[in-house]
Structures are given as structure tokens and as C-alpha cells.
């Protein structure tokens, strides 16, 4: 239970880092702002006024809403889920396993892969912050390092170059100097490409079974029986005999090491 609590705290911190690192440079460039008594929003027929604490609560609630998207964008969840959906389509089982089962397995595999990163964020950022050794902004800087290193490890240079050019930024001397707004979308593109590559490879043996079954049923004149009715049990039998889930999950985890 303690490991789950630490992992959850680290994931929440990492999600905060993704939002805060994007605005850190602009806040620092703007410099200190004079204190105000409150913030007000006035729209015809509606007005709202609140202090800094109220807006902090609004920001935290917004962050909690964005947590699912942040989980998708900065973890291996995208690659894992894409591979599982390709596998289900290749087997010909349209709704088995169910989406909830695939998403649950993807979440636990994501936890398995991201636990070292979450523990590094906890040790480098959360623990010193709770002890008062560093400030919140220093915790953001320290905590973003393990997350950036993880994403850059699986991001293609071509995708990074694309977003660097689109952002009209000078190419950095090393990838660690790239901001998160470039690293995150480049990482997502790389994960999607890798997921589609693995999914295409998974399709090949099952495609051979479909082609052979269709050829045999056509040659013997079984036109009334759809080939998928025969090929689907054969594909499931082959997958079970080969211990397919162990092979797929094992190969997928090895691709991250």
C-alpha cells in the first residue's frame, strides 16, 4: 500500500510538472507582480470575484481534470493500449477481452514500467520539498529531469526535429535542453509509430491463417460458410497453444529496456 501511495504522489507531482514547466519560463521572465486584493471576472449578467486561494483551488481542480490526458501523454500507456487493440483485431474477437480489461492491464503495466521514474521523482523532488530543503520551483526543476529522460529515451530524433522546427527554436546542443512542450508531443508520435509497428507484426501470423482458411474453403466449394467462422477458432487455438499473452506482454516490456 505504501508503494501505491508513493507512486500516486509521484504521478500527481509529475502531472503538475508537465503543466508548471510549460509556464515556468514565462513566469520568471515576467518578474514579480504587485500584490492585488483579488481577481474579478465580469460578464454581462454574471460576475465573479475571488482571492488567490480561490484561484489556486480552481487551478488544482483543472489539474485533476487533465490527469487522464497527462497519463496518456507522458507514459507508455499509449503504446501498450494500441498494441492490445491491434492484437484483439488480429484475433478476430471484436469485444473480447473487453475494453475495461485491456485498459486495466495497460494501467498496471504502465505502473510497472513507470515505478522507477515515479520513485526518482519522489526522492529528488517530493522528499526535499516536504522537508523544506527546496522551494516549489526547485522541486519542479528537479522532478522534471527523470520524466524528461524517460521520454527522450524512446523519442525519435525525427519527431523532436519536427517540433523544434515548428516552434521556430534553435536546435539545442543536447536533448536535455528541450522544453516539455516539444518533448511531450514528439514522445507521443514516437509511441504511436512504435505501437503501430508492433501491431502490424502481430497481424502477420493471423493474416496467414485467414488467407489459408479462405483459400481452402473456396477451393472445396464452401461458399455458404464465411471463412472467419473457421479461422477465428484456429487463431485463438494457436494463440493459446503458443502462450500468446505471455509472449506479447514479455516482448512489449522488453522493448522498454
Amino acid at each position: 500500500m505504501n508503494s501505491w501511495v508513493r507512486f500516486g504522489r509521484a504521478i500527481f507531482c509529475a502531472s503538475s510538472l508537465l503543466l508548471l514547466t510549460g509556464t515556468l519560463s514565462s513566469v520568471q521572465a515576467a518578474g514579480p507582480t504587485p500584490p492585488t486584493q483579488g481577481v474579478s471576472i465580469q460578464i454581462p449578467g454574471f460576475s465573479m470575484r475571488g482571492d488567490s486561494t480561490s484561484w489556486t483551488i480552481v487551478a488544482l481542480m483543472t489539474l485533476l481534470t487533465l490527469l487522464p490526458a497527462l497519463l496518456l501523454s507522458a507514459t507508455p500507456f499509449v503504446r501498450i493500449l494500441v498494441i492490445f487493440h491491434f492484437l484483439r483485431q488480429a484475433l478476430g474477437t471484436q469485444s473480447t477481452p473487453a475494453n475495461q480489461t485491456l485498459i486495466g492491464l495497460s494501467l498496471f503495466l504502465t505502473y510497472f514500467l513507470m515505478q522507477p521514474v515515479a520513485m526518482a521523482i519522489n526522492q529528488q523532488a517530493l522528499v526535499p520539498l516536504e522537508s523544506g530543503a527546496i522551494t516549489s520551483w526547485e522541486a519542479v526543476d528537479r522532478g522534471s529531469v527523470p520524466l524528461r529522460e524517460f521520454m527522450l529515451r524512446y523519442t525519435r530524433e525525427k519527431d523532436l526535429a519536427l517540433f523544434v522546427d515548428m516552434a521556430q527554436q534553435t536546435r539545442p546542443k543536447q536533448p536535455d535542453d528541450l522544453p516539455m512542450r516539444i518533448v511531450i508531443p514528439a514522445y507521443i508520435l514516437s509511441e504511436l509509430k512504435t505501437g503501430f509497428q508492433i501491431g502490424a507484426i502481430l497481424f502477420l501470423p493471423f493474416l496467414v491463417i485467414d488467407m489459408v482458411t479462405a483459400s481452402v474453403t473456396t477451393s472445396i466449394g464452401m461458399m455458404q460458410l464465411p471463412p472467419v467462422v473457421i479461422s477465428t477458432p484456429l487463431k485463438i487455438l494457436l494463440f493459446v497453444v503458443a502462450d500468446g499473452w505471455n509472449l506479447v506482454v514479455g516482448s512489449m516490456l522488453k522493448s522498454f529496456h
Side-chain angles (χ1 to χ4, degrees), residues 126-135 138:
L126 289 181
V127 174
L129 179 63
E130 290 181 349
S131 63
I134 59 176
T135 62
E138 290 174 342

Side-chain angles (χ1 to χ4, degrees), residues 90 201-216 231 234-235 238:
I201 295 174
L202 287 174
F203 250 104
L204 293 178
F206 301 108
L207 179 62
V208 172
I209 296 178
D210 286 332
M211 295 176 62
V212 171
T213 304
S215 300
V216 171
S231 63
L234 294 177
K235 290 187 291 186
L238 174 64

Side-chain angles (χ1 to χ4, degrees), residues 171-184:
R171 298 203 173 188
K173 297 181 180 179
Q174 54 185 359
D176 292 338
D177 297 333
L178 291 170
M180 283 291 192
R181 74 186 186 98
I182 291 178
V183 175
I184 294 175

Side-chain angles (χ1 to χ4, degrees), residues 5-241:
V5 173
R6 292 195 300 268
F7 180 75
R9 293 171 53 205
I11 287 295
F12 183 82
C13 178
S15 304
S16 304
L17 296 173
L18 295 178
L19 295 179
L20 294 177
T21 50
T23 58
L24 177 58
S25 57
S26 60
V27 171
Q28 292 176 341
T33 57
T36 58
Q37 296 297 325
V39 181
S40 62
I41 296 178
Q42 295 183 355
I43 303 175
F46 174 77
S47 63
M48 182 173 64
R49 183 178 182 86
D51 54 10
S52 59
T53 304
S54 302
W55 289 108
T56 301
I57 295 175
V58 172
L60 289 176
M61 296 301 296
T62 304
L63 177 61
L64 290 175
T65 305
L66 295 175
L67 277 179
L70 296 174
L71 176 64
L72 289 174
S73 60
T75 65
F77 185 82
V78 172
R79 182 195 301 191
I80 297 172
L81 194 58
V82 167
I83 293 173
F84 283 157
H85 277 283
F86 268 108
L87 176 62
R88 186 171 65 179
Q89 293 295 324
L91 285 171
T93 55
Q94 301 300 324
S95 58
T96 305
N99 288 330
Q100 292 83 351
T101 303
L102 294 181
I103 293 174
L105 180 57
S106 301
L107 284 173
F108 277 98
L109 291 177
T110 302
Y111 163 74
F112 178 82
L113 292 169
M114 292 297 294
Q115 187 179 19
V117 179
M119 294 301 101
I121 294 175
N122 182 67
Q123 293 296 326
Q124 298 179 19
L126 289 181
V127 174
L129 179 63
E130 290 181 349
S131 63
I134 59 176
T135 62
S136 300
W137 291 117
E138 290 174 342
V140 170
D141 290 334
R142 291 189 182 186
S144 62
V145 173
L147 190 61
R148 182 187 288 108
E149 290 179 351
F150 175 83
M151 289 190 288
L152 288 175
R153 194 180 308 158
Y154 305 105
T155 306
R156 300 187 306 163
E157 294 183 4
K158 183 178 181 180
D159 294 328
L160 290 173
L162 170 64
F163 286 99
V164 169
D165 294 338
M166 294 299 295
Q168 298 181 352
Q169 291 188 355
T170 57
R171 298 203 173 188
K173 297 181 180 179
Q174 54 185 359
D176 292 338
D177 297 333
L178 291 170
M180 283 291 192
R181 74 186 186 98
I182 291 178
V183 175
I184 294 175
Y187 171 76
I188 296 176
L189 286 185
S190 300
E191 288 294 280
L192 286 174
K193 178 179 176 59
T194 304
F196 272 75
Q197 287 177 335
I198 299 176
I201 295 174
L202 287 174
F203 250 104
L204 293 178
F206 301 108
L207 179 62
V208 172
I209 296 178
D210 286 332
M211 295 176 62
V212 171
T213 304
S215 300
V216 171
T217 54
T218 303
S219 62
I220 62 179
M222 297 177 60
M223 306 301 295
Q224 296 81 6
L225 185 64
V228 67
V229 176
I230 301 176
S231 63
T232 299
L234 294 177
K235 290 187 291 186
I236 295 176
L237 179 62
L238 174 64
F239 190 73
V240 172
V241 171

